[in-house]
Amino acid sequence: MFGDQYRQWNTAMDATTAINQNKPLIIVHPTELIQALKELSNKVNVTVETLPQAVEVLAYVFK
């Protein structure tokens, strides 16, 4: 999950590792980080703004 000033950069590094290993990935980040994370968002499977949205995606995939 992206947010909290510095934690987001550690999360971005973890997400990059997952992308490089071809792991499916959902990232969760607030709307104010859309511009800052646009390159990363373009490489993941799904980008959402809330945890409930991520749960909805997982429910759909595993239906």
Side-chain angles (χ1 to χ4, degrees):
M1 183 168 168
F2 289 91
D4 299 333
Q5 192 168 349
Y6 296 106
R7 187 176 80 186
Q8 68 196 31
W9 304 116
N10 292 334
T11 304
M13 295 296 292
D14 293 340
T16 301
T17 299
I19 291 166
N20 289 334
Q21 294 177 358
N22 296 316
K23 303 285 183 182
L25 188 62
I26 299 171
I27 60 172
V28 180
H29 64 72
T31 54
E32 62 265 13
L33 294 177
I34 288 174
Q35 181 64 25
L37 297 170
K38 66 181 178 187
E39 290 84 9
L40 183 59
S41 293
N42 289 334
K43 295 181 185 270
V44 301
N45 301 88
V46 178
T47 301
V48 297
E49 297 175 10
T50 66
L51 290 176
Q53 289 173 332
V55 171
E56 286 180 35
V57 170
L58 291 171
Y60 177 81
V61 170
F62 291 107
K63 208 175 206 185

